[in-house]
């Protein structure tokens, strides 16, 4: 079955030769073809090019005059499996409490943990599937989802099984990350060692036995997991071939970036607070720095210094961090706009960061993230827009007309 899209005003992020990621100056280049065609065969990109060379036949033809086609957004950092919401904390913060003060009072992550533990697997699945469908319609075509609101063996497994069910029922690539080290349960507040031992001796073997995760994450932060704790957990996870993707430098720079790089982390995420040493640690590594601007926006905390990171010849990816506490939004269009508006990324840099570099941060560069022959036909068609920069410029408008996963309209 072939589908031919013709008269595409501009086909965005076309890469004849597949690249794994783009870094430094190369992030300023966003290859496109104006007045283009795109040919899909079954679930894959078969061909693309200028309308001058348009193929003469296909099983079906779609005319997308005045509209553009982008490869789907690749959202490499989410927590979309959660129960209920934390609207009350939002109001508490408006009234003056900080995110950290709320967490210290037993709210924050532990508030979501309480809700998740009493939610059935079926209900949790339904709540999560609804969010997944919402973000697919907003252009996301590959996504990573973390556990981390369970914090008991049973509840972490429940979260990961929900992710597995999403993987089975939805066609887009979904990557699962085990984040048992998201916070210390209140009963282990004074015995952190014991909880870390549960992660290592009970959770990890069960997750590996059921093949429930590909990645391991730790919230490496003052008041959460120390650099030594992170080292211990990542070392234990190596035995099960789990690749690290680490929450670091959200509020403090404590050496977590360097430690993550030593563990060959696929990505380090947040990075709102970055020192020169953190940047140096990332140079000469294969670790992708990931910025989460919607989190900075929602919590009114600093934005990741994108310009410094790119000036250091590093790559940068953008993701949502969709979660009930710090980022109750999974909209990658808003992420791209906010990266341009607040982090001073150019549209070219932001689109590279939200597509090919996001794919890299999920180990998916060979399948998604660009318009390349043989990659998955995951893409979106815009509404009529004058230029690709119009997307971040008109922040808050939904300019996505339709989303395709594996060559089929979602
Ligand atoms: O990435 N920082 C740690 N974890 C999440 C927030 C979790 C929450 O508040 O529920 C984050 O921002
Ligand atoms: Fe997060």
């Amino acid at each position: 079955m072939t589908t031919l899209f013709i008269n595409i005003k501009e086909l965005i992020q076309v890469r004849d030769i597949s690249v794994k990621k783009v870094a430094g100056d190369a992030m300023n280049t966003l290859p496109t073809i104006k007045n283009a065609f795109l040919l899909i065969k079954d679930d894959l990109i078969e061909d693309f090019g200028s309308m001058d060379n348009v193929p003469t036949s296909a099983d079906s033809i779609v005319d997308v005059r005045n509209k553009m086609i982008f490869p789907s957004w690749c959202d490499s950092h989410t927590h979309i499996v959660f129960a209920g919401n934390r609207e009350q904390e939002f109001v508490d913060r408006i009234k003056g409490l900080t995110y950290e003060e709320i967490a210290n009072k037993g709210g924050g992550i532990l508030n979501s943990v309480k809700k998740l533990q009493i939610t059935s697997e079926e209900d949790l699945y339904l709540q999560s599937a609804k969010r997944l469908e919402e973000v697919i319609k907003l252009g996301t075509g590959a996504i990573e989802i973390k556990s981390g609101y369970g914090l008991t063996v049973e509840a972490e497994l429940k979260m990961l099984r929900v992710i597995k069910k999403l993987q089975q029922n939805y066609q887009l690539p979904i990557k699962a990350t085990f984040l048992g080290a998201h916070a210390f349960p209140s009963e282990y507040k004074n015995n952190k060692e014991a909880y870390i031992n549960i992660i290592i001796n009970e959770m990890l073997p069960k997750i590996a036995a059921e093949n429930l995760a590909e990645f391991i994450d730790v919230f490496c932060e003052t008041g959460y997991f120390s650099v030594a704790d992170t080292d211990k957990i990542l070392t234990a996870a190596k035995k099960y071939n789990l690749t690290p993707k680490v929450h670091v430098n959200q509020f403090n720079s404590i050496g977590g970036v360097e430690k993550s790089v030593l563990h060959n982390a696929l990505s380090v995420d947040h990075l709102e607070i970055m020192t020169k040493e953190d940047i140096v640690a990332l140079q000469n590594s294969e670790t992708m720095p990931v910025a989460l601007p919607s989190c900075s926006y929602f919590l009114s905390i600093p934005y990741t210094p994108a310009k410094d990171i790119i000036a250091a010849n590093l790559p940068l990816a953008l993701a949502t961090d969709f979660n009930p506490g710090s980022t109750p939004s999974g909209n990658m269009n808003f992420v791209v706009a906010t990266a341009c508006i607040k982090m001073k990324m150019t549209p070219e840099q932001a689109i590279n960061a939200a597509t090919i570099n996001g794919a890299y941060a999920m180990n998916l560069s060979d399948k998604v993230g660009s318009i390349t022959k043989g990659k998955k036909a995951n893409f979106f068609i815009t509404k009529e827009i004058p230029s690709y920069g119009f997307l971040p410029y008109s922040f808050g408008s939904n300019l996505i007309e339709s989303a395709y996963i594996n060559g089929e309209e979602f």
Side-chain angles (χ1 to χ4, degrees):
M1 165 78 183
T2 54
T3 309
L4 180 62
F5 296 83
I6 58 167
N7 296 320
I8 304 163
K9 182 180 168 115
E10 196 164 355
L11 182 61
I12 309 297
Q13 186 66 297
V14 291
R15 304 270 176 183
D16 287 324
I17 298 161
S18 185
V19 291
K20 280 169 65 185
K21 59 181 178 199
V22 284
D25 269 353
M27 287 191 73
N28 296 318
T29 304
L30 181 67
T32 72
I33 300 175
K34 289 187 172 151
N35 194 26
F37 76 86
L38 174 66
L39 180 67
I40 302 306
K41 186 169 182 211
D42 301 325
D43 59 332
L44 300 178
I45 297 171
E46 171 81 359
D47 199 7
F48 58 87
S50 157
M51 278 303 286
D52 297 341
N53 304 315
V54 69
T56 46
S57 72
D59 297 326
S60 70
I61 295 179
V62 183
D63 190 341
V64 290
R65 203 169 289 272
N66 296 328
K67 297 164 191 170
M68 298 193 183
I69 292 186
F70 284 61
S72 300
W73 302 128
C74 295
D75 190 354
S76 66
H77 181 139
T78 85
H79 310 246
I80 67 165
V81 174
F82 60 85
N85 64 65
R86 303 230 296 273
E87 223 184 302
Q88 185 51 50
E89 292 179 8
F90 170 58
V91 177
D92 290 343
R93 280 196 304 103
I94 292 169
K95 290 183 177 161
L97 287 182
T98 66
Y99 180 76
E100 281 152 310
E101 283 165 349
I102 290 167
N104 291 340
K105 284 195 340 176
I109 294 168
L110 294 183
N111 186 352
S112 290
V113 169
K114 258 183 252 157
K115 292 182 183 9
L116 187 132
Q117 288 182 349
I118 55 166
T119 302
S120 71
E121 193 172 313
E122 293 68 30
D123 190 11
L124 191 58
Y125 173 80
L126 292 174
Q127 292 186 39
S128 309
K130 203 165 147 194
R131 282 187 279 271
L132 181 62
E133 291 189 12
E134 181 199 349
V135 303
I136 293 172
K137 290 196 182 96
L138 288 168
T140 295
I143 196 166
E144 179 260 16
I145 310 174
K146 301 172 195 297
S147 71
Y149 291 122
L151 309 191
T152 61
V153 176
E154 189 194 4
E156 282 295 307
L157 288 174
K158 175 166 72 181
M159 285 190 82
L160 290 165
R161 288 184 188 130
V162 166
I163 300 173
K164 191 167 204 171
K165 204 159 151 199
L166 293 170
Q167 289 169 329
Q168 288 160 350
N169 293 348
Y170 291 86
Q171 295 302 308
L172 75 168
I174 298 176
K175 295 285 185 144
T177 300
F178 169 52
L179 177 56
H182 198 191
F184 286 97
S186 35
E187 56 275 32
Y188 292 97
K189 217 167 80 188
N190 299 314
N191 191 3
K192 296 187 168 178
E193 201 64 25
Y195 181 62
I196 293 173
N197 286 336
I198 292 176
I199 293 178
I200 293 174
N201 301 325
E202 298 184 42
M203 294 182 185
L204 278 174
K206 289 210 167 78
I207 290 161
E210 275 191 55
N211 200 10
L212 288 172
E214 175 175 339
F215 303 130
I216 172 98
D217 196 346
V218 177
F219 186 16
C220 179
E221 182 59 61
T222 308
Y224 293 84
F225 292 81
S226 68
V227 175
D229 297 339
T230 304
D231 188 37
K232 196 170 168 189
I233 294 164
L234 297 186
T235 302
K238 208 159 282 170
K239 212 168 94 191
Y240 303 100
N241 284 325
L242 296 180
T243 303
K245 280 170 67 67
V246 188
H247 279 75
V248 278
N249 291 41
Q250 183 175 7
F251 303 109
N252 301 281
S253 172
I254 58 172
V257 170
E258 197 184 347
K259 186 57 75 186
S260 303
V261 165
L262 283 173
H263 279 278
N264 287 321
L266 181 60
S267 71
V268 283
D269 304 36
H270 272 290
L271 313 180
E272 287 87 342
I273 306 299
M274 286 293 271
T275 64
K276 277 206 182 75
E277 289 72 31
D278 292 321
I279 299 229
V280 170
L282 284 167
Q283 288 171 324
N284 302 315
S285 84
E286 291 300 312
T287 302
M288 177 64 70
V290 180
L292 310 166
S294 296
C295 174
S296 298
Y297 177 84
F298 190 71
L299 294 186
S300 303
I301 61 174
Y303 287 86
T304 303
K307 283 174 69 153
D308 296 347
I309 290 172
I310 294 170
N313 210 22
L314 291 170
L316 184 67
L318 289 166
T320 62
D321 198 17
F322 196 174
N323 76 75
S326 72
T327 321
S329 162
N331 189 340
M332 280 296 285
N333 306 285
F334 180 79
V335 165
V336 169
T338 308
C340 294
I341 297 162
K342 294 293 184 185
M343 293 160 66
K344 305 290 176 221
M345 290 175 78
T346 62
E348 291 79 11
Q349 291 171 337
I351 293 167
N352 276 318
T355 55
I356 190 66
N357 284 356
Y360 179 91
M362 292 185 274
N363 231 342
L364 282 171
S365 296
D366 57 339
K367 292 202 173 62
V368 288
S370 64
I371 303 292
T372 302
K373 287 182 202 172
K375 280 197 178 181
K376 288 277 177 197
N378 293 9
F379 58 91
F380 60 82
I381 305 178
T382 66
K383 293 180 182 161
E384 291 191 11
I385 52 172
S387 65
Y388 59 72
F390 194 79
L391 222 69
Y393 162 78
S394 37
F395 77 99
S397 293
N398 183 0
L399 294 174
I400 296 198
E401 184 165 277
S402 50
Y404 284 73
I405 302 291
N406 282 357
E408 282 181 29
E409 189 170 351
F410 186 78

